[in-house]
Amino acid sequence: MTVLTHTPALAPAFARGAVLSPFKRPRPEAEFPRTPLVLPGLRVDLSRLAAYERVCGVATGEDALPLTYPHVLGFPLAMRLMSGRDFPLPLLGLVHTSIEITARERLAVHDSYEIAVYVQGLAPHRRGTQATLVTELRGSGGKAVWESRSTYLARHRTQEGGDGTSVREERVPGVPLPVVAEWRLGGDVGRRYAAVSGDRNPIHLHPLTARPFGFPRAIAHGMWTVARCLAAYGAPAVAHVTAEFRAPVGLPGVVRYGSEPGRFELRGETGRLHVLGRVS
């Protein structure tokens, strides 16, 4: 493992990733970095947490971290891995396709944590190559209290003939869940979430920066959508959550949040499924 002494700066990582992206040739059998990055002694910035809670619709002032917030804490380490020369997928245009979260304990806001991030592996996808990144949060005594597995897709031509220029909704059986709320999303949602999370992927910021990657307009961060859904669902502090990002949420736009015990989803006005989640 590589033990860090401070949180990696995001701006240099984005710059490095942007410069290297055109030279990456993603494929499932490529080599990838196998050394975990570890940052001990991590404490939560309360002002940044409050800003995150406001953007994601989470009740502020709680004494426990939102289920999705450790992903933000680990994001600088993930960026350092994904922007490196030895990471085979191009950082620019990388699409977050799913996340699985396991929170084993209530995460106290004022505690100190150790966080570790590593690449678990690569896998073929019908639209390209997918990488799985694992983030682990450890409390006192090194006890694992939270972990996540995120998949990221680099779109490219595959043997199946897909050219990876678009992400379309996949067929999902069953009927929509009962609609609980309708949300009108402004065109600045991606920029607002980027400011509190550090994730400044150009596909989320502006139509002009999203179009080179096959999106006609900016799309919402997957992690913003799942954080917003979990806030509406009222997920407990100790839980297992899975979320699949089935289709991009264009900005601006209107989405409908639906839920029932153990499940939630986000759909567009036409019924197109964007996010499918489960809570246990």
Side-chain angles (χ1 to χ4, degrees):
M1 73 177 68
T2 299
V3 180
L4 307 178
T5 58
H6 59 275
T7 301
L10 283 168
F14 269 109
R16 182 171 61 249
V19 169
L20 293 176
S21 285
F23 303 100
K24 300 292 182 75
R25 296 295 180 264
R27 61 189 194 282
E29 67 275 12
E31 283 298 314
F32 58 89
R34 299 174 184 271
T35 303
L37 296 181
V38 179
L39 178 64
L42 179 66
R43 289 191 173 276
V44 175
D45 182 324
L46 297 183
S47 61
R48 185 182 177 192
L49 171 62
Y52 172 91
E53 290 172 333
R54 287 192 295 270
V55 169
C56 296
V58 180
T60 58
E62 296 290 330
D63 62 353
L65 297 178
L67 278 174
T68 50
Y69 197 68
H71 177 87
V72 173
L73 297 177
F75 184 69
L77 283 72
M79 276 295 303
R80 176 161 165 173
L81 285 173
M82 293 190 290
S83 65
R85 290 183 179 274
D86 53 352
F87 186 74
L89 308 188
L91 182 66
L92 292 183
L94 209 58
V95 178
H96 198 178
T97 54
S98 74
I99 187 166
E100 177 183 4
I101 295 172
T102 303
R104 297 185 174 88
E105 292 185 3
R106 186 177 181 86
L107 303 177
V109 170
H110 298 284
D111 283 359
S112 175
Y113 297 98
E114 177 181 274
I115 197 161
V117 179
Y118 62 92
V119 182
Q120 189 176 56
L122 304 180
H125 187 280
R126 63 192 181 89
R127 295 195 183 103
T129 299
Q130 194 164 262
T132 298
L133 266 72
V134 176
T135 301
E136 298 176 346
L137 196 69
R138 304 184 185 112
S140 58
K143 182 180 180 181
V145 294
W146 184 99
E147 70 178 25
S148 72
R149 279 173 172 75
S150 284
T151 56
Y152 295 91
L153 174 65
R155 296 174 296 155
H156 59 82
R157 187 173 295 278
T158 65
Q159 292 182 345
E160 287 73 18
D163 63 3
T165 57
S166 66
V167 175
R168 299 183 299 275
E169 176 187 15
E170 299 186 23
R171 184 175 297 175
V172 180
V175 297
L177 298 179
V179 175
V180 177
E182 182 176 277
W183 301 330
R184 296 185 177 274
L185 311 181
D188 64 343
V189 166
R191 295 187 291 275
R192 291 173 58 215
Y193 184 78
V196 299
S197 69
D199 185 351
R200 290 181 169 82
N201 188 324
I203 63 177
H204 303 303
L205 303 181
H206 193 275
L208 293 179
T209 57
R211 284 173 193 149
F213 303 99
F215 299 99
R217 50 185 171 149
I219 63 173
H221 294 74
M223 287 306 299
W224 178 84
T225 63
V226 73
R228 185 70 183 85
C229 286
L230 287 173
Y233 182 90
V238 178
H240 179 77
V241 175
T242 61
E244 301 172 37
F245 308 121
R246 294 294 188 110
V249 175
L251 300 172
V254 177
V255 291
R256 292 174 178 144
Y257 165 75
S259 74
E260 65 181 17
R263 297 173 62 203
F264 64 84
E265 66 180 23
L266 204 60
R267 291 183 182 263
E269 290 183 285
T270 63
R272 188 185 193 195
L273 180 64
H274 294 295
V275 180
L276 178 64
R278 293 177 176 83
V279 182
S280 61

